[in-house]
Amino acid sequence: MERHVLVVFPHPDDETFGCGGTIAQFAKSGVPVTYICGTLGQMGRNMGKPFFATRESLPKIRETELEKACQAIGIQKVIKLGLRDKTIEFEDPELLADRIEQILRELKPSLVLTHYPGYAVHPDHNALGDVTIRAISRLSDQERPIVHAHAFARDCQDVLGPPDIVNDISDMAEVKLAAIRAHRTQSQLVLGRLANGQLKKPSSKDSYSHMLRRESFWTYHF
Amino acid sequence: MNPIDKSIVQPALDSFLNRDVYLHLETTNGAYAAHNRESNMTVGAYIRNGRISYGRGIITGDGPYRVGLKMELGWVYAEGLTDFEMEQEGQLLLAGHDQEGRLAVALELSLHPFEL
Ligand SMILES: [Zn+2]
């Protein structure tokens, strides 16, 4: 059993869409989970459907959504880095790695979930994943947690091979769906399309229902 | 936000004339545009808290609308604007939303810096 799971992602909702079921399973089995959330997703273009957020109200709304989603999946503690959406790759990576390193030394997680640098599509994902890997690589072999990295770039399977960690999260499908719903501004459009049958069939690997059954990760090798 | 009413937005633009104002200007087709193959490029730009002053500011078009702000040494321009909001004192928010309600363009003016 894990001692403590540390989750590091840049946007409120990354924790839910990418690994909400996995986190919920850890939380349910009594493992403490801490989430380092980089930004408030200030620059998202989804404003709800029908839209109810503005560019200026979005960060506060997403902060509340994050709170509800964390409650749903069982994340007890959120550390907000206070960075700005779309700007992480322009920050000094060593300074950001210092902050992550300090948290790592404090919490001593046995497992870290983060984005696989270079294979996580959004520049913020790749940048924060990179900084997290830098921070973890500063630890000694004995201190270093296992890293399960999330990747979804179109070429990731070609380059990284198939994911070595495939979690069956069917038992947490309802919990994950509740967390997805909590991220209202970000999920209303896609949930509406799902209800209208505009999304891919359940058999498709990228489909929403696939997302409620399986979550995959690549173990990062140092 | 509400659908743009030029008879409200034009006086709001006039209220900022020849004053130091903070500008938020952006356009985006979504961070996943290329990944989702909605477009072959992910395109976006934003300015947060650019400080400007303009001597002429006009909203025009029949909807979606266009705004041009003429400065001493240049222009600020946005098109595709559909909605506005003036809930905060000294702040005008304009945005263009697509059919799905996603923000595609925003032009915002404020007498105080926008939150970071
Ligand atoms: Zn994200």
Side-chain angles (χ1 to χ4, degrees), chain A residues 72-126:
Chain A
I73 55 183
I75 296 175
Q76 298 99 327
K77 194 178 170 206
V78 180
I79 300 170
K80 293 167 198 157
L81 292 181
L83 301 169
R84 189 172 171 85
D85 202 3
K86 296 193 195 278
T87 66
I88 298 179
E89 62 183 323
F90 307 107
E91 296 279 2
D92 182 337
E94 291 302 319
L95 291 182
L96 290 182
D98 289 349
R99 293 179 67 184
I100 308 275
E101 182 188 348
Q102 199 186 344
I103 297 167
L104 286 165
R105 294 196 183 280
E106 218 169 280
L107 299 180
K108 301 184 178 19
S110 51
L111 175 71
V112 172
L113 304 179
T114 191
H115 283 120
Y116 204 118
Y119 299 96
V121 184
H122 193 300
D124 282 338
H125 296 171
N126 288 328

Side-chain angles (χ1 to χ4, degrees), chain A residues 153-169:
Chain A
R154 286 187 181 271
D155 68 344
C156 66
Q157 297 242 11
D158 301 340
V159 187
L160 302 173
D164 59 323
I165 310 289
V166 180
N167 291 339
D168 180 348
I169 57 146

Side-chain angles (χ1 to χ4, degrees), chain A residues 126-141:
Chain A
N126 288 328
L128 193 57
D130 174 62
V131 157
T132 303
I133 297 296
R134 278 185 203 224
I136 295 169
S137 56
R138 292 175 183 178
L139 304 178
S140 67
D141 290 351

Side-chain angles (χ1 to χ4, degrees), chain A:
Chain A
M1 188 166 127
E2 299 298 340
R3 190 171 59 239
H4 193 142
V5 175
L6 178 66
V7 182
V8 190
F9 292 127
H11 310 121
D13 81 2
D14 291 332
E15 81 296 334
T16 290
F17 285 103
C19 50
T22 301
I23 295 173
Q25 285 176 337
F26 283 126
K28 201 184 169 199
S29 62
V31 180
V33 181
T34 301
Y35 179 21
I36 301 181
C37 187
T39 79
L40 295 178
Q42 295 95 330
M43 293 302 290
R45 72 169 167 157
N46 284 299
M47 300 288 177
K49 192 176 184 211
F51 68 89
F52 59 91
T54 70
R55 175 56 73 235
E56 300 311 312
S57 67
L58 188 64
K60 280 192 190 77
I61 292 170
R62 292 193 72 173
E63 205 169 9
T64 310
E65 291 174 345
L66 175 63
E67 231 166 79
K68 286 184 185 150
C70 286
Q71 254 167 32
I73 55 183
I75 296 175
Q76 298 99 327
K77 194 178 170 206
V78 180
I79 300 170
K80 293 167 198 157
L81 292 181
L83 301 169
R84 189 172 171 85
D85 202 3
K86 296 193 195 278
T87 66
I88 298 179
E89 62 183 323
F90 307 107
E91 296 279 2
D92 182 337
E94 291 302 319
L95 291 182
L96 290 182
D98 289 349
R99 293 179 67 184
I100 308 275
E101 182 188 348
Q102 199 186 344
I103 297 167
L104 286 165
R105 294 196 183 280
E106 218 169 280
L107 299 180
K108 301 184 178 19
S110 51
L111 175 71
V112 172
L113 304 179
T114 191
H115 283 120
Y116 204 118
Y119 299 96
V121 184
H122 193 300
D124 282 338
H125 296 171
N126 288 328
L128 193 57
D130 174 62
V131 157
T132 303
I133 297 296
R134 278 185 203 224
I136 295 169
S137 56
R138 292 175 183 178
L139 304 178
S140 67
D141 290 351
Q142 291 88 334
E143 299 169 308
R144 192 171 296 148
I146 300 289
V147 176
H148 289 170
H150 180 55
F152 60 103
R154 286 187 181 271
D155 68 344
C156 66
Q157 297 242 11
D158 301 340
V159 187
L160 302 173
D164 59 323
I165 310 289
V166 180
N167 291 339
D168 180 348
I169 57 146
S170 321
D171 59 329
M172 290 294 158
E174 284 304 311
V175 173
K176 183 168 181 177
L177 190 59
I180 290 173
R181 288 215 171 92
H183 287 291
R184 274 177 75 205
T185 55
Q186 308 307 301
S187 63
Q188 278 178 334
L189 173 62
V190 77
L191 288 175
R193 280 183 178 173
L194 184 73
N196 294 332
Q198 289 168 33
L199 283 186
K200 291 169 190 158
K201 291 201 187 72
S203 56
S204 159
K205 270 196 89 178
D206 300 327
S207 76
Y208 239 66
S209 54
H210 180 266
M211 210 172 84
L212 295 176
R213 289 197 312 269
R214 299 266 185 283
E215 286 171 356
S216 307
F217 302 90
W218 282 260
T219 301
Y220 191 92
H221 299 285
F222 288 86

Side-chain angles (χ1 to χ4, degrees), chain A residues 11 14 42-49 51 53-56 60 84-87 120-122 125 152-154 189 193 198, chain B residues 1 24 26 28-32 34-38 46 48 83 85 91 93 97-103 108 114-116:
Chain A
H11 310 121
D14 291 332
Q42 295 95 330
M43 293 302 290
R45 72 169 167 157
N46 284 299
M47 300 288 177
K49 192 176 184 211
F51 68 89
T54 70
R55 175 56 73 235
E56 300 311 312
K60 280 192 190 77
R84 189 172 171 85
D85 202 3
K86 296 193 195 278
T87 66
V121 184
H122 193 300
H125 296 171
F152 60 103
R154 286 187 181 271
L189 173 62
R193 280 183 178 173
Q198 289 168 33
Chain B
M1 302 188 97
H24 173 94
E26 75 170 284
T28 177
N29 67 350
Y32 300 99
H35 178 74
N36 292 340
R37 302 197 169 143
E38 290 170 35
Y46 77 81
R48 185 82 173 158
D83 299 277
E85 186 179 294
Q91 210 169 80
L93 311 185
H97 296 95
D98 68 12
Q99 286 154 318
E100 305 279 25
R102 293 173 300 200
L103 185 142
E108 305 178 346
F114 291 102
E115 263 178 57
L116 267 189

